[in-house]
Amino acid sequence: MKVIETRNEEATREIGKILGKAVKEGAVITLNGDLGVGKTVFTQGLAQGLGVEEPVNSPTFTIVQVYEEGRMPFYHFDVYRIGDIEEMEEIGYEDYFYGNGVCLIEWAELIKEILPEKYVEISIEKDLNCGFDYRKITIKGEEYENISFG
Ligand code: ADP
Ligand code: MG
């Protein structure tokens, strides 16, 4: 487990970027945390680290957004509005989860039952005692805990 603290949006984006540069083909990354905590900011950094140049935002009307321009495909899921796990089956999630790109899933706790056996688990939390912009980022996933996040 690795814990990183940030005090502004840019720092969180940078952590995402460092992970995006290191992440390996086929990785599934789960990203949990309350609304407004910085999941999309982190995701934007990760996409940048993968070499995605177009802007990345939360997919509002689709469950998954695909970016092909980086060093490998990037599949950005936001399952916040998912009603039923069947919706994941309808979009053919297995092709993404078990494919050769990188999956990042915002609100992954809502689809626990279909997560692969192995994934990188990230959570972002606020602690208002440490200030409004403070965030605690926790990364669990052997391969990525030894990266130097600066
Ligand atoms: P989520 O996707 O988790 O709902 P967003 O990434 O869309 O959240 O928004 C995070 C908000 O929190 C942004 O408005 C951002 O400017 C703000 N913010 C303040 N401090 C931080 C920080 N340390 N890291 C990330 N975002 C921060
Ligand atoms: Mg979001």
Side-chain angles (χ1 to χ4, degrees):
M1 187 170 103
K2 177 116 179 175
V3 175
I4 301 148
E5 299 173 297
T6 70
R7 295 185 183 275
N8 56 59
E9 173 180 333
E10 280 317 310
T12 296
R13 187 173 281 111
E14 190 57 31
I15 301 303
K17 192 170 170 181
I18 292 167
L19 183 61
K21 284 182 177 163
V23 73
K24 294 182 192 122
E25 225 179 81
V28 174
I29 302 166
T30 65
L31 188 48
N32 290 303
D34 294 339
L35 208 61
V37 83
K39 297 184 295 299
T40 297
V41 166
F42 184 93
T43 304
Q44 289 168 342
L46 189 118
Q48 254 185 347
L50 280 166
V52 175
E53 276 169 21
E54 67 180 286
V56 170
N57 289 302
S58 268
T60 313
F61 299 108
T62 51
I63 295 173
V64 63
Q65 193 78 49
V66 178
Y67 300 90
E68 306 260 17
E69 59 187 303
R71 67 184 165 86
M72 61 183 101
F74 176 48
Y75 308 120
H76 178 202
F77 291 78
D78 187 329
V79 298
Y80 182 60
R81 286 181 190 77
I82 204 161
D84 197 284
I85 217 75
E86 253 173 54
E87 288 176 47
M88 290 295 287
E89 268 143 34
E90 277 158 25
I91 64 157
Y93 76 91
E94 285 170 308
D95 291 344
Y96 303 110
F97 283 18
Y98 303 100
N100 294 320
V102 171
C103 289
L104 182 142
I105 312 156
E106 293 189 47
W107 292 101
E109 61 193 37
L110 299 176
I111 58 156
K112 271 198 209 103
E113 56 266 56
I114 59 165
L115 290 176
E117 196 177 324
K118 193 180 164 201
Y119 55 88
V120 185
E121 196 177 348
I122 301 179
S123 67
I124 311 179
E125 292 160 276
K126 291 187 186 182
D127 181 349
L128 291 176
N129 296 319
C130 301
F132 189 69
D133 291 339
Y134 170 89
R135 301 291 189 273
K136 185 173 116 183
I137 304 171
T138 305
I139 302 179
K140 290 180 199 161
E142 277 175 48
E143 289 168 83
Y144 301 102
E145 289 174 12
N146 297 321
I147 299 173
S148 168
F149 287 98

